[in-house]
Amino acid sequence: MTILQIIFIIIFWGLICSFISLAPWVPTKKSDLERIHKLLHLQKWQKFLEIWCGTAQVSLYVANKFPEAEVIGIELSPILYVFSKIRVFFSGQKNISIIFWNALHLDFSKYDVLYVFGLPETISQKLFPKLEHWLKEKAYLLSYCFQMKNNAFIEEKFKEKAEWNSIYKYSQKAKS
Ligand SMILES: C[S@@+](CC[C@H](N)C(=O)[O-])C[C@H]1O[C@@H](n2cnc3c(N)ncnc32)[C@H](O)[C@@H]1O
């Protein structure tokens, strides 16, 4: 097998894997980044995780807006992972790292704020069961566009009249 064939298999596997796993690559709209910023309250040293980071557009934006927070993006497609790493390197941003891994195998309890743009079925059926067990107290998840079916979190919906889509915020219910 030649090196070219190996590279082709790795890339092809990555694309297929990420497509069937959670969501195909469709980026968050650039014009919505400011809306996301307004919903974030990131303190010094808090950890922000972009669960399927694609080209790291959102992660880089957040890292830039909150230079004292730690930003982590995780991506399963090798092409998008390498693209994100190069993009981060040339941005010069120091408080951001990109991980090549299956987001569903991550320990979410380490993070304070999570962001996801995934299909409604995948976030409801695959992501929710993990978050239900691992989302730490006072942590919250922002879901771009899509609602996550769940019975465990407080859901808030953010959408102004002029906006075409919603952003959902999920946080822990107060423990009684
Ligand atoms: C809808 S895109 C969102 C990209 C980015 N978050 C944004 O908003 O611009 C979903 C991304 O998730 C990646 N992905 C799918 N399944 C994954 C998994 N299990 N672990 C990590 N990344 C995954 C895909 O490769 C794709 O880049």
Side-chain angles (χ1 to χ4, degrees):
M1 201 180 282
T2 67
I3 292 187
L4 255 179
Q5 283 170 321
I6 295 170
I7 292 173
F8 178 79
I9 288 169
I10 293 172
I11 291 172
F12 188 70
W13 166 81
L15 284 176
I16 294 292
C17 193
S18 61
F19 187 84
I20 54 174
S21 162
L22 295 171
W25 179 65
V26 181
T28 295
K29 252 185 131 187
K30 248 191 187 157
S31 54
D32 283 331
L33 292 175
E34 186 52 35
R35 286 173 68 196
I36 293 161
H37 178 214
K38 283 186 188 152
L39 295 174
L40 291 175
H41 309 284
L42 269 177
Q43 313 290 327
K44 207 174 176 177
W45 308 126
Q46 279 196 320
K47 288 187 176 180
F48 172 93
L49 174 72
E50 185 178 6
I51 293 180
W52 311 317
C53 74
T55 58
Q57 178 192 221
V58 177
S59 293
L60 262 173
Y61 177 83
V62 173
N64 184 263
K65 290 286 179 191
F66 299 94
E68 293 189 320
E70 193 182 333
V71 174
I72 298 105
I74 180 162
E75 175 56 51
L76 192 59
S77 156
I79 295 183
L80 293 172
Y81 166 74
V82 172
F83 182 88
S84 298
K85 290 289 274 189
I86 293 170
R87 194 175 186 183
V88 165
F89 177 79
F90 283 107
S91 75
Q93 202 70 40
K94 297 287 177 233
N95 58 331
I96 174 170
S97 46
I98 306 294
I99 304 170
F100 178 58
W101 190 240
N102 185 340
L104 290 174
H105 296 160
L106 210 64
D107 173 1
F108 292 119
S109 67
K110 290 184 189 155
Y111 303 95
D112 302 285
V113 181
L114 298 93
Y115 175 85
V116 72
F117 180 20
L119 296 171
E121 307 80 51
T122 49
I123 58 173
S124 302
Q125 290 163 18
K126 293 188 180 178
L127 187 61
F128 167 64
K130 307 268 171 197
L131 292 176
E132 192 184 13
H133 289 102
W134 294 109
L135 193 68
K136 72 178 181 188
E137 213 185 335
K138 294 195 179 153
Y140 58 91
L141 166 81
L142 294 182
S143 173
Y144 184 67
C145 288
F146 298 116
Q147 201 168 12
M148 179 175 73
K149 275 198 196 117
N150 83 98
N151 48 14
F153 302 121
I154 298 169
E155 180 186 286
E156 294 167 82
K157 178 178 171 174
F158 297 90
K159 183 181 182 299
E160 299 294 328
K161 266 193 185 152
E163 291 165 351
W164 68 283
N165 64 353
S166 304
I167 299 175
Y168 296 89
K169 179 176 177 178
Y170 296 93
S171 46
Q172 296 280 24
K173 289 178 182 166
K175 296 226 162 75
S176 50

